[in-house]
Amino acid sequence: MALSTESRQDIKELTVRGVVLGGLITLVFTAANVYLGLKVGLTFATSIPAAVISMSVLRYFRDHTVVENNIVQTIASAAGTLSAIIFVLPGLIMVGWWTGFPYWTTVAVCAMGGILGVMYSIPLRRALVTGSDLPYPEGVAGAEVLKVGDSAAGAEDNRGGLRILSVAAVVAAAFSLVASLKVLSNSVSAAFRVGSGGTMFGASLSLALIGVGHLVGITVGIAIFIGLIISYGVLVPIRTWGDLPSGETLSDAVSSVFSSDVRFIGAGTIAVAAIWTLLRILRPIATGIVSSARSARLRRSGETVDITERDIPVQIVGGVAVLMLIPIGFLLFDFISGTALDGNAAGIIAVSLVFVLVLGLLIAAVCGYMAGLIGSSNSPISGVGILVAIGAALLIKVTFGSADPGQSTALVAFTLFTTAVVFGVATISNDNLQDLKTGQLVGSTPWKQQVALIIGVLFGSAVIPPILQLMQTAFGFVGAPGAGDDALAAPQASLISSLVDGVFGGSIDWALIGVGALIGLGVILVDEILGRTTRFRVPPLAVGLGMYLPISLTVIIPIGALLGFFYNRWADGRANPGRTKRMGTLLACGLIVGESLFGVVFAAIVAATGDDSPLAIVGDGFDNPAQIIGGIVFILLVAWLYRWTSRTATSTPADTADASTL
């Protein structure tokens, strides 16, 4: 329950210890999100696990408060969300413009886009949060976790939840460690013929992907599986039919056709699905903002503004938003200084600044509404990034005019750089309003929470560049110069850079994208029919993602979604279904965090040694037995983790405190 204005005067909220704790949590979850996003193209919401960790730590301080815990999770959530900038920035490596991530330039891109996103989301709070009936699923869930954790029984629940998160993280990291020793394999794969063509099966034995599937849910999981079937069950056999090259293994041939052809069909599906998603919500966005703003004005008329309704003053918000264009302009100028565009860039810098200012505000409203409607995790933020990139490319191409090959390459890089700034706005506004909803429900002071959001952006901006550089040094990115066999997919960055290159006259096959667009229209039609006649849906963006990602990354996600579905259905029959489901969510988050953090540590070892398998104690001749062992151990671990979590989740707080960990 929200605290009254009188009772709030001496309550601790924005504290030094809260900021420090939020920064420490940021290091963990931002690193995990960067690794996961580069590997599979998905990130996870950090609000709930951050809240649980915060409450478990701050409970040792006598004067801790629920609103102080909310500040901590707000900082960590903002920084974790900003990590989605990795959906764009690696594209500069892929097109050969950067060979690494210059620290201060990358910090500036993240910070400027993120702060602009915070500024744009502040005036939307009254329109889309306090004056709206949008559900904000993650914001409401986060508030419930904070409220429960503020009670004595809730403190015990938090200890149990932190235990589940920690054990899951340790198990996931340990499995990854043993896999790096080559004693067991963390992947299985096989290629086979289909008529005169071929296809393949592959699975990354990743506990993190089980966690991802649990979090995204059964609807998205099924949609991803449908996309996988379209790609590897239909498109790959058709594209390889009678055309399998000689002198190449079947697995390599199938992988090559998927990379060069099928993934662009998936790109077309993603693009159409993104456009359709935005078109569907434009009218509700406009209606919601207008009606909510009218309602807010009526409520404010003649009334004293409560402390829980005090935002950063609009004059400061507007001034910061406009002044941010100055350093952004210098950043864009510095980016092309000394390149083929030097001396001819005034026009494209000017239109890029207008693009950032105007489209950034529109994107903030769209992403904020989408987050309120379906949740930050399910919001098609990568689809928004694709549309922003194409829009920026077309605008810059028209403004610059004809260009020689050298200038075209520079224009591609400049477009990606501009898109990264706007994408920073999109990622933050996609999360901020969710956090502000949590704050509204627990009685936080909006302006203090908005300051915390800026702090979170700065923390994230400082952490993201070295993690990106570490990933580039250790693994590289698929499609980038010098990328090795273990290169990270970075799927959105690869797609966006390919599309931008295509706009400026590259060799992209637009016919393939057209085929994908037709498939996307078909999926949209099926989704609409199902939505009107049944309670089932097939999210088109998820289908496109399933088509675009390699099978090794996508096949485990639907399995995780199925496990999460059965776990949640089982939880509905327990005495406290909300607590039981929350423990399952923390299990999923722990699996992601543990594997991702080990990935970061392993990347550091690879970068330091220059060896792709620095921990291996078994040779390549053990690959087949290692796959069998890996598959068996993986299945047993997943089964044990869910069984242990279910028992822990249904124990009373006293039982949970006394039970042994393993």
Side-chain angles (χ1 to χ4, degrees):
M1 184 174 68
L3 300 169
S4 65
T5 300
E6 291 77 11
S7 65
R8 288 295 310 283
Q9 300 302 322
D10 299 320
I11 293 293
K12 289 186 177 295
E13 187 169 359
L14 184 60
T15 62
V16 173
R17 70 191 182 199
V19 171
V20 172
L21 181 56
L24 293 175
I25 297 174
T26 289
L27 291 173
V28 175
F29 287 116
T30 302
N33 257 335
V34 169
Y35 177 80
L36 186 70
L38 292 174
K39 179 178 180 179
V40 72
L42 296 170
T43 56
F44 67 103
T46 59
S47 296
I48 290 178
V52 170
I53 294 173
S54 171
M55 290 183 291
S56 299
V57 174
L58 290 183
R59 68 185 176 86
Y60 291 106
F61 295 88
R62 183 176 301 175
D63 56 351
H64 74 276
T65 65
V66 65
V67 290
E68 184 182 18
N69 280 311
N70 183 48
I71 289 293
V72 175
Q73 73 90 18
T74 296
I75 292 173
S77 177
T81 299
L82 186 62
S83 61
I85 197 76
I86 61 172
F87 291 165
V88 179
L89 280 180
L92 290 166
I93 303 287
M94 294 174 177
V95 300
W97 191 258
W98 280 355
T99 56
F101 295 92
Y103 182 79
W104 289 112
T105 300
T106 309
V107 167
V109 171
C110 296
M112 291 176 191
I115 292 173
L116 202 55
V118 174
M119 294 299 109
Y120 280 157
S121 65
I122 290 172
L124 294 173
R125 187 186 73 86
R126 292 183 182 275
L128 295 180
V129 178
T130 61
S132 168
D133 59 357
L134 290 171
Y136 286 99
E138 288 148 341
V140 173
E144 290 303 312
V145 170
L146 288 169
K147 289 177 183 177
V148 170
D150 204 41
S151 65
E156 296 293 343
D157 276 354
N158 288 334
R159 279 196 286 271
L162 182 60
R163 207 157 136 262
I164 288 176
L165 184 100
S166 301
V167 170
V170 169
V171 170
F175 182 80
S176 297
L177 172 61
V178 176
S180 69
L181 299 176
K182 302 295 185 181
V183 174
L184 56 79
S185 176
N186 57 1
S187 64
V188 294
S189 63
F192 50 91
R193 287 186 174 274
V194 179
S196 61
T199 189
M200 68 183 300
F201 169 82
S204 174
L205 301 179
S206 166
L207 291 171
L209 295 182
I210 292 289
V212 169
H214 186 119
L215 294 180
V216 301
I218 191 65
T219 299
V220 173
I222 291 174
I224 288 176
F225 184 72
I226 291 172
L228 185 155
I229 294 299
I230 292 173
S231 282
Y232 284 90
V234 179
L235 296 176
V236 170
I238 290 175
R239 299 295 297 183
T240 57
W241 196 269
D243 194 31
L244 287 172
S246 58
E248 190 175 14
T249 66
L250 182 60
S251 177
D252 289 342
V254 169
S255 298
S256 176
V257 168
F258 174 81
S259 298
S260 62
D261 294 357
V262 176
R263 75 185 184 101
F264 286 102
I265 298 177
T269 302
I270 291 174
V272 168
I275 293 171
W276 173 249
T277 302
L278 294 178
L279 289 177
R280 285 187 61 191
I281 65 173
L282 281 179
R283 183 176 178 182
I285 287 173
T287 302
I289 291 176
V290 171
S291 62
S292 298
R294 186 184 303 117
S295 175
R297 285 197 302 269
L298 292 175
R299 287 198 311 274
R300 292 197 305 270
S301 178
E303 296 183 9
T304 301
V305 178
D306 187 84
I307 194 171
T308 58
E309 289 296 320
R310 297 177 186 174
D311 295 290
I312 294 177
V314 67
Q315 298 91 337
I316 295 177
V317 171
V320 171
V322 173
L323 288 175
M324 285 297 296
L325 295 181
I326 297 176
I328 291 174
F330 276 115
L331 193 65
L332 294 175
F333 173 79
D334 180 70
F335 183 81
I336 57 178
S337 180
T339 71
L341 300 178
D342 204 357
N344 298 289
I348 59 173
I349 290 176
V351 298
S352 296
L353 289 175
V354 174
F355 185 80
V356 169
L357 182 66
V358 177
L359 193 69
L361 181 58
L362 175 62
I363 290 297
V366 169
C367 291
Y369 188 91
M370 288 192 301
L373 193 64
I374 60 177
S376 301
S377 298
N378 294 322
S379 181
I381 187 69
S382 57
V384 172
I386 291 169
L387 297 179
V388 169
I390 293 175
L394 292 172
L395 180 64
I396 290 171
K397 182 177 182 179
V398 170
T399 302
F400 191 85
S402 59
D404 59 41
Q407 290 175 324
S408 293
T409 302
L411 288 170
V412 169
F414 181 81
T415 301
L416 291 173
F417 196 69
T418 302
T419 300
V421 177
V422 180
F423 200 71
V425 175
T427 58
I428 287 299
S429 52
N430 185 57
D431 174 78
N432 278 6
L433 295 182
Q434 203 81 244
D435 291 326
L436 292 172
K437 181 65 176 181
T438 300
Q440 178 206 5
L441 294 175
V442 301
S444 292
T445 307
W447 75 262
K448 292 181 180 179
Q449 200 175 1
Q450 289 152 8
V451 170
L453 289 168
I454 295 174
I455 293 172
V457 166
L458 296 177
F459 275 137
S461 300
V463 171
I464 289 170
I467 302 297
L468 273 173
Q469 182 59 50
L470 183 60
M471 296 298 110
Q472 158 64 11
T473 302
F475 304 119
F477 307 115
V478 173
D485 294 336
D486 297 322
L488 297 168
Q492 285 90 344
S494 174
L495 171 57
I496 288 173
S497 59
S498 296
L499 292 175
V500 170
D501 185 61
V503 170
F504 286 99
S507 58
I508 187 171
D509 190 340
W510 289 99
L512 294 175
I513 293 179
V515 171
L518 292 176
I519 293 175
L521 291 174
V523 174
I524 289 169
L525 180 61
V526 170
D527 181 53
E528 289 299 306
I529 293 173
L530 288 175
R532 295 173 189 273
T533 58
T534 71
R535 60 189 180 90
F536 301 104
R537 301 303 297 254
V538 184
L541 268 174
V543 174
L545 190 62
M547 293 171 60
Y548 184 81
L549 289 173
I551 190 172
S552 61
L553 297 179
T554 50
V555 74
I556 297 296
I557 295 175
I559 294 174
L562 194 63
L563 289 171
F565 170 76
F566 284 119
Y567 177 88
N568 289 334
R569 194 169 73 169
W570 168 82
D572 285 331
R574 302 304 101 190
N576 190 341
R579 175 182 184 272
T580 305
K581 289 181 179 179
R582 186 164 65 250
M583 295 303 178
T585 298
L586 292 171
L587 166 67
C589 291
L591 294 176
I592 294 170
V593 168
E595 183 176 316
S596 299
L597 290 184
F598 176 81
V600 174
V601 172
F602 184 71
I605 298 172
V606 171
T609 62
D611 184 356
D612 291 341
S613 303
L615 304 180
I617 61 175
V618 178
D620 293 339
F622 195 66
D623 282 352
N624 289 335
Q627 289 193 31
I628 297 172
I629 296 171
I632 294 172
V633 173
F634 182 78
I635 293 171
L636 291 176
L637 280 178
V638 171
W640 177 81
L641 282 166
Y642 271 94
R643 183 166 179 252
W644 176 75
T645 299
S646 65
R647 293 175 60 186
T648 304
T650 52
S651 302
T652 64
D655 293 336
T656 302
D658 296 337
S660 62
T661 301
L662 297 176

